[in-house]
Amino acid sequence: KRTKIETKKESNDKGFVSTRWYPLEEKVQQQFRIKGPTKVRLFSRISSHDQSVNDYYISIREDGIEIGTFYFMTEASNKSFISSSKIPVSKWRSIWLTVPEGIHFYSISLPNIENNHNHVAFIRLKEWLKE
């Protein structure tokens, strides 16, 4: 189930841009099947219902083997919010994944790290296409 996040358009435009994000919670991970070789950009952000939270970790596994645990520092966005609840979200952060030849399975989760409890993160993937 994806979550719709709305972002206000630039100041001279009216309205919002909607994008759909996959949620990550303490016991909810997301899995993706990706055919390589390719490069994929993983965007992430967290729910800002607690304004004091400004950092989080995301763990990524490729074919069951941990690639790494990534640390993100962010700040609340004054333009973006969860469409259904109007809860603000942070500004997005991203990393690049290089997918090798063949079909690979990626598991993305919030690792069980003390400072990472009770976070709700959102992710989306975008494949890099040559121009």
Side-chain angles (χ1 to χ4, degrees), residues 99-115:
V99 180
E101 180 79 33
I103 295 174
H104 299 277
F105 296 89
Y106 290 85
S107 299
I108 304 167
S109 62
L110 295 177
N112 188 13
I113 296 175
E114 184 177 336
N115 293 343

Side-chain angles (χ1 to χ4, degrees), residues 12-31:
N12 55 352
D13 288 335
K14 293 182 180 178
F16 296 90
V17 173
S18 294
T19 52
R20 297 206 180 264
W21 297 70
Y22 295 95
L24 294 178
E25 296 180 50
E26 194 169 331
K27 297 188 184 209
V28 176
Q29 70 175 356
Q30 297 292 336
Q31 295 181 328

Side-chain angles (χ1 to χ4, degrees), residues 41-55:
R41 193 168 186 185
L42 172 87
F43 295 89
S44 68
R45 58 194 337 166
I46 57 172
S47 170
S48 296
H49 63 277
D50 180 359
Q51 296 295 328
S52 65
V53 175
N54 62 359
D55 63 343

